[in-house]
Amino acid sequence: MKKFLILLVLLPAALFAQNDKDTTRLWKTGGVFTFNFSQVSLTNWVAGGKSSASGIFMVNTFANYKKDKLSWDNSIDLSYGFLKEKDNEVVKSDDKIDFSSKLGFAASKRWNYSGLLNFKSQFAPGYNYPNTDDAISRFMAPGYLNLALGMDYKTENMSVLLSPVTGKFTFVTDDVLANAGAFGVDPGKKSRSELGAFVKFEGKTPLVKNVDLQTKLDMFSNYLNNPQNIDVDWKVMVNMKINEYLSANLVSHIIYDDDVDISVDNDGDGTIDETGPRIQFMEMFGLGLSYKF
């Protein structure tokens, strides 16, 4: 699996290295590297507070091929964030690996027969801070793999994939988490397979000058187990360009997985009051360096 991850990261670089003239016309490649950082230092500050530092790295790359009726779209989204408060340990604030590869054959001007491979996981262990004794997630715990067949409606700035036949595979390769039945796998098992319907929407549009909106929405319904409970993974990013190297980003991320149980302490007394599927939400605003290639 580590070799597979390395391949995902190196694929765009290999494509960018092509110098053949025909390849240059057939391939459209690019990406954005972003680093946002904030820091606060307090000494004898009577108003109170904590010294802190935080940062997040984001890499978004694509390599798209088009010749006659054949198209092949590839993208990799990587991010990792950290937070350090005074004497406390460094904790992560974001961690994502998202690779997609979609092969299409034109059926008409806008519609394509398409097959999609999508892989998602994370780089580093995650903890229920401040407890760092036992990890609650790791690389490939969970790992998600979607294999979808269907029709894809494409324009220059939008894509909607409708797949009535999709295999969703959840992997939990960590023994402790697998034995606990984490992320919807049966206790003691390291994977879970589901068959269902899948919709993937991707879009990008300018809002005002130098401000763009990007969104990705994945929805999956399991035919064989509670098909009315739809898994949702929805990310929205507003990119604000200040100049060639400075930018600001506003990101929101909503996840709902009907197979993932989340424990909640409603009273704050340290006891679990409820356990079950819940909406996961992340919001982030950053100002920092950005390089487009």
Side-chain angles (χ1 to χ4, degrees):
M1 187 54 66
K2 290 183 179 179
K3 293 181 180 180
F4 176 67
L5 176 60
I6 293 172
L7 177 62
L8 298 187
V9 176
L10 294 181
L11 176 61
L15 297 174
F16 297 153
Q18 301 293 329
N19 293 317
D20 183 80
K21 292 183 178 180
D22 291 336
T23 302
T24 303
R25 288 196 294 267
L26 298 177
W27 284 99
K28 181 183 290 187
T29 61
V32 178
F33 169 80
T34 303
F35 174 58
N36 297 328
F37 179 77
S38 66
Q39 183 263 341
V40 176
S41 178
L42 302 175
T43 302
N44 301 324
W45 194 252
V46 296
K50 282 186 177 182
S51 299
S52 65
S54 65
I56 183 169
F57 299 87
M58 294 184 290
V59 180
N60 310 104
T61 67
F62 68 88
N64 299 335
Y65 177 88
K66 181 73 169 70
K67 182 178 181 181
D68 300 328
K69 291 188 174 184
L70 181 67
S71 62
W72 183 26
D73 299 339
N74 302 276
S75 67
I76 299 178
D77 293 339
L78 309 173
S79 63
Y80 190 83
F82 67 89
L83 172 66
K84 177 73 167 68
E85 289 186 339
K86 204 172 181 181
D87 298 327
N88 295 338
E89 296 183 23
V90 176
V91 301
K92 71 174 183 178
S93 56
D94 191 23
D95 191 355
K96 182 185 70 173
I97 301 169
D98 188 344
F99 168 73
S100 287
S101 183
K102 181 170 59 178
L103 187 66
F105 189 82
S108 64
K109 181 178 180 180
R110 297 296 187 190
W111 288 96
N112 295 268
Y113 304 107
S114 293
L116 171 73
L117 181 153
N118 178 234
F119 169 77
K120 297 178 181 180
S121 190
Q122 62 188 48
F123 290 102
Y127 299 91
N128 187 14
Y129 300 105
N131 178 16
T132 57
D133 294 329
D134 300 310
I136 59 174
S137 63
R138 296 182 182 274
F139 173 68
M140 288 302 293
Y144 298 102
L145 178 66
N146 286 341
L147 300 174
L149 293 174
M151 297 293 294
D152 186 24
Y153 180 83
K154 294 178 66 177
T155 67
E156 184 176 352
N157 296 317
M158 182 186 72
S159 169
V160 183
L161 174 68
L162 307 175
S163 171
V165 182
T166 300
K168 179 181 178 181
F169 305 90
T170 303
F171 302 95
V172 181
T173 57
D174 180 84
D175 291 334
V176 174
L177 295 173
N179 291 335
F183 306 106
V185 302
D186 293 332
K189 301 290 186 179
K190 292 192 175 182
S191 64
R192 170 187 169 89
S193 303
E194 301 173 77
L195 177 65
F198 179 72
V199 176
K200 186 177 184 69
F201 172 81
E202 297 177 277
K204 179 179 180 180
T205 185
L207 296 178
V208 294
K209 184 178 180 180
N210 294 330
V211 180
D212 293 333
L213 171 69
Q214 289 181 271
T215 185
K216 290 183 179 182
L217 173 63
D218 294 352
M219 296 186 292
F220 176 80
S221 173
N222 186 345
Y223 286 139
L224 305 178
N225 184 27
N226 297 323
Q228 74 280 4
N229 296 340
I230 299 175
D231 296 341
V232 176
D233 189 328
W234 185 18
K235 183 177 180 180
V236 178
M237 177 182 291
V238 178
N239 301 310
M240 294 161 276
K241 183 178 180 181
I242 300 172
N243 58 35
E244 187 176 358
Y245 297 109
L246 293 177
S247 67
N249 312 97
L250 177 63
V251 179
S252 66
H253 196 175
I254 295 175
I255 297 175
Y256 177 84
D257 191 329
D258 193 53
D259 300 310
V260 176
D261 290 333
I262 298 174
S263 299
V264 178
D265 176 9
N266 293 322
D267 303 323
D269 57 2
T271 60
I272 302 301
D273 299 308
E274 297 180 68
T275 299
R278 286 181 175 268
I279 293 175
Q280 306 170 53
F281 178 74
M282 185 273 286
E283 180 272 332
M284 179 192 68
F285 175 79
L287 175 66
L289 300 175
S290 179
Y291 176 71
K292 189 174 183 179
F293 52 91

